[in-house]
Amino acid sequence: MSMHRRNRWSATMVLAAALSAQALPAVAQNPDAGQLEEMRRSIEVFSGVMRESLGFNERRGVFSPRAGDVQGHYLAGQGIVLELITPLQGFHNGASMQTLNSALEELSSQLGSLMSSGVVSRPDFDALRDSMAMSLRSDEIAAFYREQMQQLSSLLDMPAIEQALASAAASVQNLSNLGELDPDTTARMNQQMQTLRTQLTQRLAEAEALRRDIRDRAMQSDAIPSDEIQAGWARAREQLAVEVAALRAQIAEQAQILQAQNAALEAERLAQWQQSVAQLEARVFRVVCDYASGLRALPDDEHLSLMMIGLGWESGEGRRPDRVHVFDKSDLVACQRGDLDAEDLRSLAVSYDF
């Protein structure tokens, strides 16, 4: 590299470094031990005041944990971060039931498509025997018996029926867990589910008996069966179709009723939870406003951040995020001085879920 090019390159780097230095914000100075100790005391005192004012120090028994907690941290150049841990964060709405039902529907759809395409086979040798029986017949006879088998298979929409049964059973369990069903009612409804499953098993046994009869005829005869035999098979299929349709409708109706009860209950619980969160937030803002003087150690250009753990709106990922409120030090001082009230402080805070 020539001397001229090297000097020009050096000048360019110096200019770039100077511009970068001007663009960068001022870096916070490292706090000394005394400042950190004063900040730690401020956080401990303010956290204690919040715990007491919000009723977090209450215990349900001698060995029970506190009703909630406030944990504080300090980030130099940014401010104080307080994490509020409350019993409200344990609330979960109907996402579990919705997720279960969606998963069951997806599984039902997948099983149905796999079965219809022949990807999923029976766990025994029935399908193999049927295939062997068809292979021994002429094309005309094989086509006849194959159509008989397909007509029988189309009667049983097993994935959809199993999905409805599983959804109904899950709804009963959820209602029981939430205290909406007493033990006797839960046992009775579970028995109803078991009765429906037993009836479904019986219909499957009937279909299997008819299928074996058709297969045996295909293996033992070199001709298409008589009209009388075909009429008997048709009557058996029609009767089976009527019974399966009635059973499917009964199971679907039961599942829909239970799902509606769950949805109504979850909506009521969610509304109550939201009201409790709103009341807690109002109390939090009043406490912050009344006792902001305890944060004198906080530098004027820094902030107080409150993280209300697990109290945000449900995210699309099925988890409940935290509710975050960020206050300027100047707004805290104005509120404590009486220039602002708790509602004013709330409107000036930066609030979001994360």
Side-chain angles (χ1 to χ4, degrees):
M1 179 183 296
S2 65
M3 181 66 68
H4 175 71
R5 291 180 61 190
R6 188 162 50 247
N7 291 338
R8 185 174 61 181
W9 179 83
S10 300
T12 301
M13 294 300 295
V14 170
L15 177 61
L19 292 175
S20 300
Q22 293 177 1
L24 290 174
V27 178
Q29 298 295 322
N30 291 333
D32 58 34
Q35 292 172 325
L36 290 176
E37 182 60 29
E38 183 180 4
M39 187 67 69
R40 185 175 293 107
R41 285 197 301 269
S42 295
I43 292 175
E44 289 177 354
V45 171
F46 191 72
S47 297
V49 169
M50 291 200 71
R51 281 194 294 268
E52 186 64 31
S53 301
L54 298 175
F56 288 174
N57 288 333
E58 297 177 1
R59 297 178 183 268
R60 298 176 181 176
V62 177
F63 300 103
S64 300
R66 287 196 298 249
D69 199 7
V70 180
Q71 300 176 358
H73 312 276
Y74 175 67
L75 305 178
Q78 300 178 45
I80 296 173
V81 179
L82 296 181
E83 295 182 358
L84 275 66
I85 303 172
T86 78
L88 293 174
Q89 75 181 78
F91 174 84
H92 297 284
N93 65 13
S96 57
M97 286 299 301
Q98 295 171 5
T99 301
L100 174 61
N101 288 328
S102 298
L104 289 172
E105 291 175 1
E106 181 179 357
L107 178 60
S108 171
S109 175
Q110 291 175 353
L111 286 175
S113 61
L114 289 174
M115 288 179 177
S116 63
S117 62
V119 176
V120 176
S121 59
R122 293 178 178 271
D124 53 24
F125 296 101
D126 290 339
L128 179 59
R129 286 194 293 266
D130 293 344
S131 178
M132 292 176 61
M134 297 303 104
S135 67
L136 297 176
R137 307 297 91 197
S138 66
D139 291 342
E140 180 183 0
I141 297 176
F144 169 80
Y145 281 107
R146 188 176 296 110
E147 181 181 0
Q148 296 293 315
M149 294 293 190
Q150 290 174 350
Q151 290 177 359
L152 183 58
S153 298
S154 64
L155 297 179
L156 301 175
D157 187 8
M158 284 304 300
I161 297 176
E162 286 288 350
Q163 186 268 332
L165 269 174
S167 177
S171 295
V172 170
Q173 187 61 47
N174 191 53
L175 289 170
S176 177
N177 292 340
L178 295 176
E180 293 298 308
L181 299 178
D182 57 59
D184 291 340
T185 303
T186 301
R188 177 174 54 81
M189 299 189 74
N190 284 331
Q191 182 59 47
Q192 292 177 356
M193 297 298 104
Q194 184 59 42
T195 299
L196 291 173
R197 188 172 293 278
T198 299
Q199 294 176 6
L200 177 61
T201 302
Q202 292 173 349
R203 301 295 84 76
L204 289 174
E206 294 171 3
E208 177 61 18
L210 181 57
R211 190 188 65 79
R212 282 198 304 267
D213 186 23
I214 296 174
R215 185 194 65 209
D216 293 343
R217 290 277 183 180
M219 296 182 67
Q220 296 171 7
S221 175
D222 293 330
I224 294 177
S226 65
D227 293 342
E228 182 180 358
I229 293 176
Q230 293 185 45
W233 288 349
R235 286 193 300 271
R237 282 198 305 269
E238 291 173 1
Q239 179 64 27
L240 190 58
V242 171
E243 293 174 349
V244 170
L247 183 59
R248 182 190 298 115
Q250 185 178 359
I251 293 173
E253 180 182 9
Q254 189 73 10
Q256 291 173 359
I257 292 174
L258 289 169
Q259 288 174 7
Q261 291 178 358
N262 270 280
L265 177 61
E266 295 291 355
E268 180 182 353
R269 293 180 66 245
L270 177 59
Q272 293 175 349
W273 179 83
Q274 291 172 341
Q275 182 179 5
S276 298
V277 171
Q279 293 172 348
L280 175 63
E281 281 190 319
R283 292 167 58 194
V284 166
F285 280 97
R286 288 196 298 270
V287 171
V288 171
C289 186
D290 292 342
Y291 298 99
S293 59
L295 300 176
R296 286 188 297 269
L298 181 67
D300 293 339
D301 58 346
E302 293 184 359
H303 308 83
L304 169 66
S305 299
L306 294 181
M307 296 178 58
M308 304 181 72
I309 306 300
L311 300 189
W313 288 100
E314 189 89 24
S315 69
E317 301 175 353
R319 70 174 186 88
R320 190 169 293 284
D322 303 331
R323 182 67 174 159
V324 181
H325 300 290
V326 182
F327 307 90
D328 289 342
K329 170 69 178 296
S330 59
D331 293 334
L332 296 175
V333 173
C335 195
Q336 195 277 332
R337 194 169 52 228
D339 298 338
L340 301 174
D341 59 21
E343 284 300 316
D344 295 329
L345 184 64
R346 182 172 194 154
S347 66
L348 293 172
V350 176
S351 302
Y352 57 94
D353 294 344
F354 185 78

